[in-house]
Amino acid sequence: MIQLSICLPTRNRQKYCIETIRALAQSEVTNFEVIVGDNSDDASVLSGFFSDDFQDPRFRLIGPEDRVLPMVDNWERLVGETKGRWLCVIGDDDYIDPKLVLLLKYYERIYPKAESISWARMNFSWPDNRPDPGLSVIPVAHDTYLAVKSIVQDQLYRWSQGNKRPSVGFGIYHGAVRKSLMERIKRKYGGRYFEHPVVDYESSCKIIREAKMLVHCQRPFSVLGACAASNSAGTKSRKTMAERVKAFKAEAEGKVDMDDPVFPFPISDPGASICASIASTTSWFCRTYGIDLTGFPENFARAAMDELSGTVIEEDFMLKKAYFERGFDAWEGGKWRDCFQPAPFWGNRSTNEMCGVLKNYLYVREDVTPSQTPAEFYRFAEATIMPIEHVTSGARTFSR
């Protein structure tokens, strides 16, 4: 029986995808599968790799269709091909530990109603995405928590924390979801698993609404990679980001429009940020499916101010500030404009790059470790975190 299906969508980043495939194939775990959804312009690279250089029955390749698919449709077709009890999606420049199957089996025994599992994640920049060495983050705790659904929903739907990113964590992207839950979602939400172009957060909206139980493990099981061609890398350059947003919108034509007239913070604006794109997604979902948004406008204003407080370059600060001001002026006739009162920019500065441990996180300079890929970084980090076998043993004390 296949315990875990890992979906690996990719588009024109074949060299990173191949590295990720090779890393996953090194695992001795047998009861998982990897489904690679190639949406690239050149199908020959991955098809040639699978036919000539790579033979592993745990992996399947689904090639490009006769047109470029929106990302949401590429995800859709992959989930439809899965055979596992649990499903997960990662990026082609990421990594996930197939030993996650041990955690899933463990939670199935002690939390039989669990339908969505989240865990801590590591962050890693590929060597081609390090203009200046930053910090990689390794979570070092390992406890398990049962989430209160009402609190998690409040954090995502209404942004109750007021942070630039809602800290939810539950979803199919770098999270595990029961296949049975995804099928229920498909039946309830218009015959599709996914609808919105910002597919990861839209999926989280549905999953935290429908899951019977949400379980979180503090131990990390995956790495969020960022290569030079990634969207996160694109945010470091306004020109690059504008080009990628334009391509994203063109590929998603016919789907939900991210330039939403009801929530007037368009992603095509030069001052747009990830904060606004997430808010646009959650706002669309709640309006579409009748979820109470009381408190969302005030909390989003706090989130926008939090976004600005972390902006370290004055030109970027002023661009984002003007963007948010235009949005709040237009939103419901300026009803929420007074809620947006950001502090002045307080100087060009760099982020803290000191290594060390702070609040269950180990911070390591990217130029200190020899890691060249997310998988190598994960193996480096395993020396600092609890072995998975101990986490799933149920024991509370350990000795060497």
mmCIF file of all heavy atoms in Angstrom, residues 238 245 258-260 263-281 300 303-305 307-308 311 315-331 337 340 342:
data_model
loop_
_atom_site.group_PDB
_atom_site.id
_atom_site.type_symbol
_atom_site.label_atom_id
_atom_site.label_comp_id
_atom_site.label_asym_id
_atom_site.label_seq_id
_atom_site.Cartn_x
_atom_site.Cartn_y
_atom_site.Cartn_z
ATOM 1 N N ARG A 238 12.444 44.114 -8.623
ATOM 2 C CA ARG A 238 11.126 44.548 -9.088
ATOM 3 C C ARG A 238 10.928 44.228 -10.570
ATOM 4 O O ARG A 238 9.834 43.851 -10.994
ATOM 5 C CB ARG A 238 10.959 46.052 -8.840
ATOM 6 C CG ARG A 238 10.766 46.406 -7.378
ATOM 7 C CD ARG A 238 10.219 47.824 -7.234
ATOM 8 N NE ARG A 238 11.116 48.808 -7.806
ATOM 9 C CZ ARG A 238 12.136 49.350 -7.151
ATOM 10 N NH1 ARG A 238 12.393 48.984 -5.913
ATOM 11 N NH2 ARG A 238 12.896 50.259 -7.728
ATOM 12 N N VAL A 245 5.132 38.081 -12.799
ATOM 13 C CA VAL A 245 3.708 38.316 -12.572
ATOM 14 C C VAL A 245 2.963 38.373 -13.900
ATOM 15 O O VAL A 245 1.868 37.810 -14.044
ATOM 16 C CB VAL A 245 3.486 39.614 -11.772
ATOM 17 C CG1 VAL A 245 2.029 40.046 -11.809
ATOM 18 C CG2 VAL A 245 3.931 39.425 -10.323
ATOM 19 N N MET A 258 -6.600 37.796 -10.455
ATOM 20 C CA MET A 258 -5.900 38.282 -9.269
ATOM 21 C C MET A 258 -6.001 39.788 -9.117
ATOM 22 O O MET A 258 -5.710 40.331 -8.057
ATOM 23 C CB MET A 258 -4.433 37.864 -9.327
ATOM 24 C CG MET A 258 -4.212 36.380 -9.118
ATOM 25 S SD MET A 258 -4.578 35.878 -7.435
ATOM 26 C CE MET A 258 -3.289 36.766 -6.550
ATOM 27 N N ASP A 259 -6.366 40.506 -10.159
ATOM 28 C CA ASP A 259 -6.622 41.941 -10.044
ATOM 29 C C ASP A 259 -8.118 42.106 -9.734
ATOM 30 O O ASP A 259 -8.943 42.396 -10.593
ATOM 31 C CB ASP A 259 -6.231 42.663 -11.337
ATOM 32 C CG ASP A 259 -4.722 42.706 -11.515
ATOM 33 O OD1 ASP A 259 -3.998 42.393 -10.558
ATOM 34 O OD2 ASP A 259 -4.266 43.042 -12.617
ATOM 35 N N ASP A 260 -8.451 41.890 -8.478
ATOM 36 C CA ASP A 260 -9.821 41.766 -8.002
ATOM 37 C C ASP A 260 -10.418 43.156 -7.737
ATOM 38 O O ASP A 260 -9.938 43.883 -6.872
ATOM 39 C CB ASP A 260 -9.812 40.943 -6.715
ATOM 40 C CG ASP A 260 -11.193 40.646 -6.160
ATOM 41 O OD1 ASP A 260 -12.178 41.192 -6.680
ATOM 42 O OD2 ASP A 260 -11.274 39.870 -5.187
ATOM 43 N N PHE A 263 -11.483 43.610 -4.048
ATOM 44 C CA PHE A 263 -10.342 43.773 -3.135
ATOM 45 C C PHE A 263 -9.234 44.447 -3.938
ATOM 46 O O PHE A 263 -8.397 43.799 -4.555
ATOM 47 C CB PHE A 263 -9.890 42.411 -2.607
ATOM 48 C CG PHE A 263 -8.802 42.476 -1.574
ATOM 49 C CD1 PHE A 263 -9.073 42.923 -0.287
ATOM 50 C CD2 PHE A 263 -7.509 42.090 -1.884
ATOM 51 C CE1 PHE A 263 -8.065 42.985 0.674
ATOM 52 C CE2 PHE A 263 -6.494 42.148 -0.932
ATOM 53 C CZ PHE A 263 -6.782 42.595 0.349
ATOM 54 N N PRO A 264 -9.210 45.784 -3.972
ATOM 55 C CA PRO A 264 -8.404 46.525 -4.949
ATOM 56 C C PRO A 264 -6.917 46.639 -4.610
ATOM 57 O O PRO A 264 -6.357 47.726 -4.492
ATOM 58 C CB PRO A 264 -9.080 47.896 -4.959
ATOM 59 C CG PRO A 264 -9.611 48.057 -3.575
ATOM 60 C CD PRO A 264 -10.028 46.683 -3.131
ATOM 61 N N PHE A 265 -6.285 45.470 -4.462
ATOM 62 C CA PHE A 265 -4.835 45.423 -4.255
ATOM 63 C C PHE A 265 -4.268 44.493 -5.330
ATOM 64 O O PHE A 265 -3.911 43.347 -5.065
ATOM 65 C CB PHE A 265 -4.510 44.915 -2.849
ATOM 66 C CG PHE A 265 -4.992 45.811 -1.749
ATOM 67 C CD1 PHE A 265 -6.285 45.696 -1.254
ATOM 68 C CD2 PHE A 265 -4.160 46.785 -1.209
ATOM 69 C CE1 PHE A 265 -6.738 46.517 -0.240
ATOM 70 C CE2 PHE A 265 -4.609 47.621 -0.194
ATOM 71 C CZ PHE A 265 -5.910 47.496 0.290
ATOM 72 N N PRO A 266 -4.190 44.956 -6.586
ATOM 73 C CA PRO A 266 -3.845 44.080 -7.719
ATOM 74 C C PRO A 266 -2.384 43.619 -7.694
ATOM 75 O O PRO A 266 -1.481 44.397 -7.366
ATOM 76 C CB PRO A 266 -4.121 44.962 -8.935
ATOM 77 C CG PRO A 266 -3.966 46.367 -8.425
ATOM 78 C CD PRO A 266 -4.461 46.343 -7.009
ATOM 79 N N ILE A 267 -2.156 42.370 -8.083
ATOM 80 C CA ILE A 267 -0.783 41.869 -8.082
ATOM 81 C C ILE A 267 0.020 42.434 -9.245
ATOM 82 O O ILE A 267 1.248 42.372 -9.235
ATOM 83 C CB ILE A 267 -0.731 40.333 -8.113
ATOM 84 C CG1 ILE A 267 -1.272 39.790 -9.441
ATOM 85 C CG2 ILE A 267 -1.450 39.726 -6.946
ATOM 86 C CD1 ILE A 267 -0.896 38.345 -9.689
ATOM 87 N N SER A 268 -0.649 43.001 -10.249
ATOM 88 C CA SER A 268 0.082 43.559 -11.389
ATOM 89 C C SER A 268 0.645 44.945 -11.104
ATOM 90 O O SER A 268 1.399 45.493 -11.900
ATOM 91 C CB SER A 268 -0.831 43.623 -12.616
ATOM 92 O OG SER A 268 -1.999 44.374 -12.329
ATOM 93 N N ASP A 269 0.305 45.524 -9.961
ATOM 94 C CA ASP A 269 0.838 46.829 -9.573
ATOM 95 C C ASP A 269 2.307 46.683 -9.174
ATOM 96 O O ASP A 269 2.683 45.717 -8.504
ATOM 97 C CB ASP A 269 0.017 47.384 -8.399
ATOM 98 C CG ASP A 269 0.376 48.818 -8.063
ATOM 99 O OD1 ASP A 269 1.491 49.045 -7.533
ATOM 100 O OD2 ASP A 269 -0.458 49.702 -8.301
ATOM 101 N N PRO A 270 3.174 47.634 -9.557
ATOM 102 C CA PRO A 270 4.600 47.524 -9.209
ATOM 103 C C PRO A 270 4.874 47.442 -7.713
ATOM 104 O O PRO A 270 5.909 46.924 -7.303
ATOM 105 C CB PRO A 270 5.204 48.801 -9.810
ATOM 106 C CG PRO A 270 4.268 49.202 -10.898
ATOM 107 C CD PRO A 270 2.906 48.799 -10.429
ATOM 108 N N GLY A 271 3.975 47.961 -6.891
ATOM 109 C CA GLY A 271 4.198 47.924 -5.448
ATOM 110 C C GLY A 271 3.622 46.712 -4.762
ATOM 111 O O GLY A 271 3.690 46.588 -3.539
ATOM 112 N N ALA A 272 3.055 45.793 -5.531
ATOM 113 C CA ALA A 272 2.398 44.620 -4.945
ATOM 114 C C ALA A 272 3.406 43.741 -4.218
ATOM 115 O O ALA A 272 4.594 43.713 -4.531
ATOM 116 C CB ALA A 272 1.689 43.821 -6.027
ATOM 117 N N SER A 273 2.893 43.020 -3.237
ATOM 118 C CA SER A 273 3.748 42.152 -2.439
ATOM 119 C C SER A 273 3.061 40.809 -2.243
ATOM 120 O O SER A 273 1.874 40.633 -2.543
ATOM 121 C CB SER A 273 4.019 42.789 -1.074
ATOM 122 O OG SER A 273 2.813 42.876 -0.328
ATOM 123 N N ILE A 274 3.814 39.837 -1.723
ATOM 124 C CA ILE A 274 3.241 38.530 -1.425
ATOM 125 C C ILE A 274 2.133 38.668 -0.396
ATOM 126 O O ILE A 274 1.115 37.965 -0.450
ATOM 127 C CB ILE A 274 4.340 37.572 -0.942
ATOM 128 C CG1 ILE A 274 5.326 37.302 -2.080
ATOM 129 C CG2 ILE A 274 3.741 36.261 -0.443
ATOM 130 C CD1 ILE A 274 6.510 36.445 -1.689
ATOM 131 N N CYS A 275 2.294 39.591 0.530
ATOM 132 C CA CYS A 275 1.271 39.853 1.540
ATOM 133 C C CYS A 275 -0.084 40.122 0.877
ATOM 134 O O CYS A 275 -1.108 39.538 1.255
ATOM 135 C CB CYS A 275 1.697 41.042 2.394
ATOM 136 S SG CYS A 275 0.463 41.660 3.556
ATOM 137 N N ALA A 276 -0.114 40.988 -0.115
ATOM 138 C CA ALA A 276 -1.368 41.348 -0.776
ATOM 139 C C ALA A 276 -1.920 40.200 -1.607
ATOM 140 O O ALA A 276 -3.144 40.015 -1.684
ATOM 141 C CB ALA A 276 -1.162 42.576 -1.652
ATOM 142 N N SER A 277 -1.047 39.406 -2.233
ATOM 143 C CA SER A 277 -1.537 38.297 -3.042
ATOM 144 C C SER A 277 -2.189 37.231 -2.173
ATOM 145 O O SER A 277 -3.200 36.625 -2.561
ATOM 146 C CB SER A 277 -0.403 37.691 -3.874
ATOM 147 O OG SER A 277 0.530 37.007 -3.068
ATOM 148 N N ILE A 278 -1.646 37.004 -0.985
ATOM 149 C CA ILE A 278 -2.266 36.049 -0.063
ATOM 150 C C ILE A 278 -3.611 36.583 0.407
ATOM 151 O O ILE A 278 -4.620 35.862 0.432
ATOM 152 C CB ILE A 278 -1.347 35.780 1.150
ATOM 153 C CG1 ILE A 278 -0.043 35.125 0.699
ATOM 154 C CG2 ILE A 278 -2.060 34.885 2.164
ATOM 155 C CD1 ILE A 278 1.005 35.049 1.791
ATOM 156 N N ALA A 279 -3.647 37.857 0.763
ATOM 157 C CA ALA A 279 -4.897 38.458 1.234
ATOM 158 C C ALA A 279 -5.962 38.436 0.153
ATOM 159 O O ALA A 279 -7.141 38.203 0.426
ATOM 160 C CB ALA A 279 -4.642 39.892 1.704
ATOM 161 N N SER A 280 -5.562 38.685 -1.087
ATOM 162 C CA SER A 280 -6.511 38.631 -2.194
ATOM 163 C C SER A 280 -7.108 37.237 -2.331
ATOM 164 O O SER A 280 -8.308 37.071 -2.593
ATOM 165 C CB SER A 280 -5.816 39.042 -3.497
ATOM 166 O OG SER A 280 -6.708 38.993 -4.586
ATOM 167 N N THR A 281 -6.274 36.220 -2.116
ATOM 168 C CA THR A 281 -6.728 34.832 -2.213
ATOM 169 C C THR A 281 -7.719 34.486 -1.108
ATOM 170 O O THR A 281 -8.791 33.925 -1.362
ATOM 171 C CB THR A 281 -5.529 33.879 -2.150
ATOM 172 O OG1 THR A 281 -4.581 34.248 -3.153
ATOM 173 C CG2 THR A 281 -5.956 32.441 -2.361
ATOM 174 N N PHE A 300 -5.883 43.169 8.114
ATOM 175 C CA PHE A 300 -5.052 43.281 6.922
ATOM 176 C C PHE A 300 -4.261 44.593 6.936
ATOM 177 O O PHE A 300 -3.111 44.639 6.481
ATOM 178 C CB PHE A 300 -5.886 43.188 5.653
ATOM 179 C CG PHE A 300 -5.076 43.396 4.404
ATOM 180 C CD1 PHE A 300 -4.056 42.532 4.067
ATOM 181 C CD2 PHE A 300 -5.313 44.493 3.577
ATOM 182 C CE1 PHE A 300 -3.285 42.739 2.927
ATOM 183 C CE2 PHE A 300 -4.561 44.696 2.446
ATOM 184 C CZ PHE A 300 -3.539 43.827 2.116
ATOM 185 N N ALA A 303 -1.352 43.874 8.889
ATOM 186 C CA ALA A 303 -0.432 43.042 8.128
ATOM 187 C C ALA A 303 0.351 43.872 7.112
ATOM 188 O O ALA A 303 1.554 43.663 6.906
ATOM 189 C CB ALA A 303 -1.200 41.932 7.415
ATOM 190 N N ALA A 304 -0.324 44.824 6.473
ATOM 191 C CA ALA A 304 0.359 45.701 5.508
ATOM 192 C C ALA A 304 1.424 46.542 6.213
ATOM 193 O O ALA A 304 2.520 46.755 5.675
ATOM 194 C CB ALA A 304 -0.664 46.595 4.815
ATOM 195 N N MET A 305 1.104 47.009 7.408
ATOM 196 C CA MET A 305 2.103 47.780 8.162
ATOM 197 C C MET A 305 3.266 46.901 8.595
ATOM 198 O O MET A 305 4.425 47.343 8.618
ATOM 199 C CB MET A 305 1.427 48.441 9.368
ATOM 200 C CG MET A 305 0.475 49.562 8.976
ATOM 201 S SD MET A 305 -0.195 50.503 10.377
ATOM 202 C CE MET A 305 -1.377 49.314 11.049
ATOM 203 N N GLU A 307 4.328 44.330 6.890
ATOM 204 C CA GLU A 307 5.097 44.166 5.655
ATOM 205 C C GLU A 307 6.057 45.343 5.462
ATOM 206 O O GLU A 307 7.240 45.163 5.143
ATOM 207 C CB GLU A 307 4.141 44.064 4.464
ATOM 208 C CG GLU A 307 4.775 44.130 3.095
ATOM 209 C CD GLU A 307 5.310 42.796 2.620
ATOM 210 O OE1 GLU A 307 4.989 41.768 3.227
ATOM 211 O OE2 GLU A 307 6.057 42.802 1.626
ATOM 212 N N LEU A 308 5.562 46.534 5.672
ATOM 213 C CA LEU A 308 6.407 47.726 5.506
ATOM 214 C C LEU A 308 7.505 47.799 6.555
ATOM 215 O O LEU A 308 8.623 48.231 6.257
ATOM 216 C CB LEU A 308 5.542 48.986 5.569
ATOM 217 C CG LEU A 308 4.693 49.283 4.330
ATOM 218 C CD1 LEU A 308 3.798 50.480 4.580
ATOM 219 C CD2 LEU A 308 5.570 49.528 3.109
ATOM 220 N N THR A 311 10.627 46.106 5.465
ATOM 221 C CA THR A 311 11.224 46.518 4.191
ATOM 222 C C THR A 311 12.471 47.348 4.471
ATOM 223 O O THR A 311 12.396 48.378 5.146
ATOM 224 C CB THR A 311 10.219 47.324 3.356
ATOM 225 O OG1 THR A 311 9.032 46.539 3.178
ATOM 226 C CG2 THR A 311 10.797 47.682 2.003
ATOM 227 N N GLU A 315 13.486 52.896 -1.219
ATOM 228 C CA GLU A 315 12.738 52.960 -2.472
ATOM 229 C C GLU A 315 11.620 51.922 -2.492
ATOM 230 O O GLU A 315 10.492 52.209 -2.907
ATOM 231 C CB GLU A 315 13.685 52.746 -3.657
ATOM 232 C CG GLU A 315 13.004 52.903 -5.008
ATOM 233 C CD GLU A 315 13.968 52.721 -6.163
ATOM 234 O OE1 GLU A 315 15.178 52.484 -5.914
ATOM 235 O OE2 GLU A 315 13.517 52.797 -7.322
ATOM 236 N N ASP A 316 11.924 50.702 -2.029
ATOM 237 C CA ASP A 316 10.901 49.657 -1.959
ATOM 238 C C ASP A 316 9.820 50.022 -0.951
ATOM 239 O O ASP A 316 8.633 49.779 -1.187
ATOM 240 C CB ASP A 316 11.533 48.315 -1.571
ATOM 241 C CG ASP A 316 12.452 47.765 -2.651
ATOM 242 O OD1 ASP A 316 12.336 48.217 -3.810
ATOM 243 O OD2 ASP A 316 13.282 46.894 -2.335
ATOM 244 N N PHE A 317 10.232 50.606 0.156
ATOM 245 C CA PHE A 317 9.279 51.020 1.184
ATOM 246 C C PHE A 317 8.267 52.018 0.616
ATOM 247 O O PHE A 317 7.057 51.870 0.801
ATOM 248 C CB PHE A 317 10.028 51.642 2.368
ATOM 249 C CG PHE A 317 9.146 52.165 3.460
ATOM 250 C CD1 PHE A 317 8.789 51.367 4.536
ATOM 251 C CD2 PHE A 317 8.675 53.473 3.419
ATOM 252 C CE1 PHE A 317 7.968 51.863 5.547
ATOM 253 C CE2 PHE A 317 7.853 53.981 4.419
ATOM 254 C CZ PHE A 317 7.502 53.162 5.487
ATOM 255 N N MET A 318 8.769 53.021 -0.087
ATOM 256 C CA MET A 318 7.875 54.059 -0.608
ATOM 257 C C MET A 318 6.946 53.501 -1.689
ATOM 258 O O MET A 318 5.768 53.883 -1.775
ATOM 259 C CB MET A 318 8.699 55.222 -1.168
ATOM 260 C CG MET A 318 9.588 55.903 -0.120
ATOM 261 S SD MET A 318 8.661 56.436 1.351
ATOM 262 C CE MET A 318 7.546 57.644 0.626
ATOM 263 N N LEU A 319 7.448 52.571 -2.500
ATOM 264 C CA LEU A 319 6.634 51.964 -3.551
ATOM 265 C C LEU A 319 5.489 51.144 -2.942
ATOM 266 O O LEU A 319 4.329 51.261 -3.351
ATOM 267 C CB LEU A 319 7.510 51.092 -4.438
ATOM 268 C CG LEU A 319 6.953 50.697 -5.807
ATOM 269 C CD1 LEU A 319 6.820 51.919 -6.698
ATOM 270 C CD2 LEU A 319 7.872 49.659 -6.471
ATOM 271 N N LYS A 320 5.820 50.340 -1.925
ATOM 272 C CA LYS A 320 4.791 49.527 -1.267
ATOM 273 C C LYS A 320 3.802 50.407 -0.505
ATOM 274 O O LYS A 320 2.590 50.146 -0.521
ATOM 275 C CB LYS A 320 5.450 48.534 -0.301
ATOM 276 C CG LYS A 320 6.195 47.394 -0.965
ATOM 277 C CD LYS A 320 6.767 46.447 0.090
ATOM 278 C CE LYS A 320 7.528 45.297 -0.534
ATOM 279 N NZ LYS A 320 8.056 44.370 0.497
ATOM 280 N N LYS A 321 4.294 51.412 0.152
ATOM 281 C CA LYS A 321 3.421 52.299 0.927
ATOM 282 C C LYS A 321 2.383 52.959 0.026
ATOM 283 O O LYS A 321 1.182 53.006 0.340
ATOM 284 C CB LYS A 321 4.256 53.358 1.637
ATOM 285 C CG LYS A 321 3.457 54.346 2.506
ATOM 286 C CD LYS A 321 4.421 55.227 3.299
ATOM 287 C CE LYS A 321 3.667 56.230 4.152
ATOM 288 N NZ LYS A 321 3.070 57.311 3.331
ATOM 289 N N ALA A 322 2.840 53.458 -1.138
ATOM 290 C CA ALA A 322 1.909 54.085 -2.077
ATOM 291 C C ALA A 322 0.901 53.070 -2.604
ATOM 292 O O ALA A 322 -0.283 53.391 -2.798
ATOM 293 C CB ALA A 322 2.693 54.725 -3.230
ATOM 294 N N TYR A 323 1.367 51.850 -2.828
ATOM 295 C CA TYR A 323 0.473 50.779 -3.306
ATOM 296 C C TYR A 323 -0.629 50.504 -2.284
ATOM 297 O O TYR A 323 -1.817 50.445 -2.628
ATOM 298 C CB TYR A 323 1.309 49.528 -3.550
ATOM 299 C CG TYR A 323 0.524 48.246 -3.699
ATOM 300 C CD1 TYR A 323 -0.162 47.953 -4.872
ATOM 301 C CD2 TYR A 323 0.483 47.309 -2.657
ATOM 302 C CE1 TYR A 323 -0.870 46.764 -5.010
ATOM 303 C CE2 TYR A 323 -0.220 46.124 -2.790
ATOM 304 C CZ TYR A 323 -0.892 45.858 -3.960
ATOM 305 O OH TYR A 323 -1.590 44.689 -4.094
ATOM 306 N N PHE A 324 -0.259 50.328 -1.038
ATOM 307 C CA PHE A 324 -1.253 50.064 0.001
ATOM 308 C C PHE A 324 -2.193 51.264 0.184
ATOM 309 O O PHE A 324 -3.398 51.096 0.383
ATOM 310 C CB PHE A 324 -0.573 49.719 1.320
ATOM 311 C CG PHE A 324 -0.010 48.318 1.370
ATOM 312 C CD1 PHE A 324 1.338 48.109 1.631
ATOM 313 C CD2 PHE A 324 -0.820 47.220 1.164
ATOM 314 C CE1 PHE A 324 1.862 46.826 1.685
ATOM 315 C CE2 PHE A 324 -0.314 45.926 1.218
ATOM 316 C CZ PHE A 324 1.046 45.730 1.477
ATOM 317 N N GLU A 325 -1.660 52.469 0.103
ATOM 318 C CA GLU A 325 -2.513 53.653 0.251
ATOM 319 C C GLU A 325 -3.567 53.724 -0.853
ATOM 320 O O GLU A 325 -4.736 54.030 -0.584
ATOM 321 C CB GLU A 325 -1.639 54.921 0.250
ATOM 322 C CG GLU A 325 -0.832 55.098 1.531
ATOM 323 C CD GLU A 325 0.138 56.260 1.438
ATOM 324 O OE1 GLU A 325 0.483 56.679 0.303
ATOM 325 O OE2 GLU A 325 0.584 56.736 2.498
ATOM 326 N N ARG A 326 -3.162 53.419 -2.088
ATOM 327 C CA ARG A 326 -4.130 53.420 -3.188
ATOM 328 C C ARG A 326 -5.214 52.371 -2.957
ATOM 329 O O ARG A 326 -6.400 52.613 -3.203
ATOM 330 C CB ARG A 326 -3.419 53.159 -4.519
ATOM 331 C CG ARG A 326 -2.575 54.309 -5.025
ATOM 332 C CD ARG A 326 -2.145 54.085 -6.463
ATOM 333 N NE ARG A 326 -1.288 52.922 -6.621
ATOM 334 C CZ ARG A 326 0.040 52.942 -6.496
ATOM 335 N NH1 ARG A 326 0.667 54.075 -6.181
ATOM 336 N NH2 ARG A 326 0.760 51.837 -6.670
ATOM 337 N N GLY A 327 -4.779 51.208 -2.488
ATOM 338 C CA GLY A 327 -5.737 50.145 -2.237
ATOM 339 C C GLY A 327 -6.726 50.496 -1.148
ATOM 340 O O GLY A 327 -7.941 50.308 -1.306
ATOM 341 N N PHE A 328 -6.238 51.035 -0.044
ATOM 342 C CA PHE A 328 -7.132 51.388 1.062
ATOM 343 C C PHE A 328 -8.029 52.574 0.698
ATOM 344 O O PHE A 328 -9.170 52.655 1.152
ATOM 345 C CB PHE A 328 -6.332 51.680 2.333
ATOM 346 C CG PHE A 328 -5.899 50.433 3.069
ATOM 347 C CD1 PHE A 328 -4.589 49.988 3.024
ATOM 348 C CD2 PHE A 328 -6.826 49.694 3.788
ATOM 349 C CE1 PHE A 328 -4.203 48.845 3.690
ATOM 350 C CE2 PHE A 328 -6.451 48.540 4.460
ATOM 351 C CZ PHE A 328 -5.127 48.105 4.408
ATOM 352 N N ASP A 329 -7.536 53.473 -0.134
ATOM 353 C CA ASP A 329 -8.385 54.572 -0.600
ATOM 354 C C ASP A 329 -9.562 54.054 -1.435
ATOM 355 O O ASP A 329 -10.684 54.586 -1.354
ATOM 356 C CB ASP A 329 -7.562 55.558 -1.445
ATOM 357 C CG ASP A 329 -6.663 56.441 -0.594
ATOM 358 O OD1 ASP A 329 -6.939 56.577 0.615
ATOM 359 O OD2 ASP A 329 -5.682 56.987 -1.153
ATOM 360 N N ALA A 330 -9.306 53.006 -2.237
ATOM 361 C CA ALA A 330 -10.340 52.499 -3.133
ATOM 362 C C ALA A 330 -11.245 51.453 -2.486
ATOM 363 O O ALA A 330 -12.371 51.245 -2.937
ATOM 364 C CB ALA A 330 -9.678 51.889 -4.379
ATOM 365 N N TRP A 331 -10.766 50.810 -1.448
ATOM 366 C CA TRP A 331 -11.480 49.683 -0.848
ATOM 367 C C TRP A 331 -12.704 50.160 -0.057
ATOM 368 O O TRP A 331 -12.577 50.884 0.916
ATOM 369 C CB TRP A 331 -10.530 48.902 0.057
ATOM 370 C CG TRP A 331 -11.020 47.558 0.512
ATOM 371 C CD1 TRP A 331 -12.044 46.845 -0.004
ATOM 372 C CD2 TRP A 331 -10.464 46.783 1.574
ATOM 373 N NE1 TRP A 331 -12.178 45.649 0.665
ATOM 374 C CE2 TRP A 331 -11.221 45.581 1.638
ATOM 375 C CE3 TRP A 331 -9.401 46.969 2.457
ATOM 376 C CZ2 TRP A 331 -10.942 44.592 2.573
ATOM 377 C CZ3 TRP A 331 -9.121 45.974 3.380
ATOM 378 C CH2 TRP A 331 -9.889 44.805 3.434
ATOM 379 N N ARG A 337 -9.350 53.176 5.453
ATOM 380 C CA ARG A 337 -8.115 53.928 5.228
ATOM 381 C C ARG A 337 -7.443 54.338 6.521
ATOM 382 O O ARG A 337 -6.207 54.287 6.644
ATOM 383 C CB ARG A 337 -8.431 55.165 4.380
ATOM 384 C CG ARG A 337 -7.222 56.059 4.101
ATOM 385 C CD ARG A 337 -6.194 55.303 3.251
ATOM 386 N NE ARG A 337 -5.055 56.134 2.914
ATOM 387 C CZ ARG A 337 -4.021 56.338 3.722
ATOM 388 N NH1 ARG A 337 -3.977 55.771 4.908
ATOM 389 N NH2 ARG A 337 -3.013 57.096 3.331
ATOM 390 N N PHE A 340 -4.804 52.082 8.284
ATOM 391 C CA PHE A 340 -3.462 51.933 7.731
ATOM 392 C C PHE A 340 -2.641 53.161 8.074
ATOM 393 O O PHE A 340 -2.734 54.203 7.417
ATOM 394 C CB PHE A 340 -3.541 51.729 6.217
ATOM 395 C CG PHE A 340 -2.190 51.558 5.557
ATOM 396 C CD1 PHE A 340 -1.430 50.429 5.782
ATOM 397 C CD2 PHE A 340 -1.698 52.539 4.708
ATOM 398 C CE1 PHE A 340 -0.199 50.266 5.173
ATOM 399 C CE2 PHE A 340 -0.459 52.394 4.095
ATOM 400 C CZ PHE A 340 0.298 51.249 4.331
ATOM 401 N N PRO A 342 1.159 53.397 8.769
ATOM 402 C CA PRO A 342 2.494 52.809 8.949
ATOM 403 C C PRO A 342 3.474 53.789 9.580
ATOM 404 O O PRO A 342 3.368 55.010 9.405
ATOM 405 C CB PRO A 342 2.908 52.467 7.519
ATOM 406 C CG PRO A 342 2.167 53.449 6.676
ATOM 407 C CD PRO A 342 0.844 53.655 7.358
#
